[in-house]
């Protein structure tokens, strides 16, 4: 455990060297967010404050503010690219000779990256939310206050393990950027990042919930807003945990198969 804490410490120092890049990325991310808030404000104004997908105007506006918060706390930014580069350039060879698990090494770097990003993005994000403070809503219950952070942790784990598993394709393919872009595009739509999944037709929404993607964004937000409560909430947390375990198993399986391929080339 001590060695991975050391990796987090080193990762923090390395990531904070790029704090201007993080700040720039955060500021530019407010442009599409502001556009979506303006769009939905116009939509609700033209429909005299009626609900959409069971979301009131305040809930819809706050939904997008929560999307920004969840994204800052849990998103995988360049970890998959870096993992693929390590494989392609042979940098993983050192981990085959040392008592360091590459998955947990990369996870430690992911944690350090999130801490650094939060440190840089917290203030501008807080200012942006303050500008839309009339739409900020309190959690619906004490249960939501307690379960929401748990769901966020599961969201971060799920996103990391899926990205790690996809990056393992670099053992077989020289360039995996196409697959990463396809995965990102599908996640962006199916996770509820672009819009709440509640506004979709019931059949399509149910089909998406058979995949892990809604549990990367929509589900934790729905807990905070009270859209998932009671038995439905606990069932969702159980399914989210199941997907985390499945993604972890997939990541381990891909590594095991990939190392055999990598070792063959190295021999």
């Amino acid at each position: 455990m001590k060695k991975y804490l050391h990796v987090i410490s080193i990762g923090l120092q390395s990531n904070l060297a790029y704090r201007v890049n993080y700040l720039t990325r955060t500021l530019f991310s407010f442009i599409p967010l502001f556009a979506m808030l303006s769009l939905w404000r116009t939509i609700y104004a033209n429909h005299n404050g009626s609900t959409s997908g069971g979301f009131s105007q305040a809930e819809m506006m706050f939904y997008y503010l929560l999307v920004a918060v969840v994204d800052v706390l849990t998103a995988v930014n360049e970890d998959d690219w870096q993992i693929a580069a390590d494989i392609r350039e042979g940098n993983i060879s050192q981990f085959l000779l040392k008592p360091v698990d590459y998955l947990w090494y990369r996870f430690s770097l992911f944690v350090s990256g999130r801490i650094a990003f939060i440190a840089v993005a917290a203030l501008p994000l807080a200012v942006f939310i303050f500008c839309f403070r009339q739409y900020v809503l309190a959690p619906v219950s004490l249960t939501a206050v307690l379960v929401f952070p748990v769901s966020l942790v599961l969201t971060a784990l799920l996103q990391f393990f899926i990205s790690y598993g996809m990056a393992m394709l670099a053992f077989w393919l020289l360039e995996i950027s196409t697959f990463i872009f396809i995965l990102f595009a599908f996640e962006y739509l199916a996770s509820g990042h672009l819009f709440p999944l509640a506004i979709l037709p019931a059949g399509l929404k149910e089909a998406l919930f058979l995949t892990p993607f809604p549990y990367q964004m929509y589900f934790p937000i729905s807990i905070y807003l009270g859209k998932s409560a009671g038995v439905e909430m606990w069932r969702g947390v159980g399914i989210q945990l199941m997907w985390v375990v499945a993604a972890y198993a997939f990541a381990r399986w891909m590594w095991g198969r990939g190392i055999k391929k990598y070792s063959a080339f190295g021999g």
Side-chain angles (χ1 to χ4, degrees), residues 59 62 66 133 135-142 144-145 223-226:
E59 288 175 333
F62 190 52
L66 281 178
R133 59 189 179 281
Y135 300 112
V136 173
L137 302 174
V140 295
S141 65
L142 178 60
V145 172
I223 292 176
Y224 186 99
L225 293 176

Side-chain angles (χ1 to χ4, degrees), residues 79-132:
D79 297 81
D80 39 14
W81 301 100
Q82 294 170 0
I83 293 169
D86 279 350
I87 296 172
R88 187 169 55 251
E89 297 168 8
N91 293 333
I92 64 167
S93 297
Q94 58 183 311
F95 297 98
L96 304 179
L97 304 174
K98 298 177 181 178
V100 177
D101 188 308
Y102 185 69
L103 185 149
W104 295 118
Y105 167 79
R106 289 305 321 184
F107 181 73
S108 299
L109 291 180
F110 166 68
V111 171
S112 67
R114 286 300 88 204
I115 294 174
F117 194 83
I118 292 168
V120 174
L123 181 58
L125 180 60
V127 171
F128 187 88
I129 293 176
F130 180 77
C131 294
F132 289 89

Side-chain angles (χ1 to χ4, degrees), residues 140-141 143 219 222-223 225-235:
V140 295
S141 65
T143 302
F219 177 70
S222 70
I223 292 176
L225 293 176
K227 302 300 179 181
S228 295
V231 175
E232 182 183 355
M233 179 189 68
W234 293 114
R235 176 176 174 272

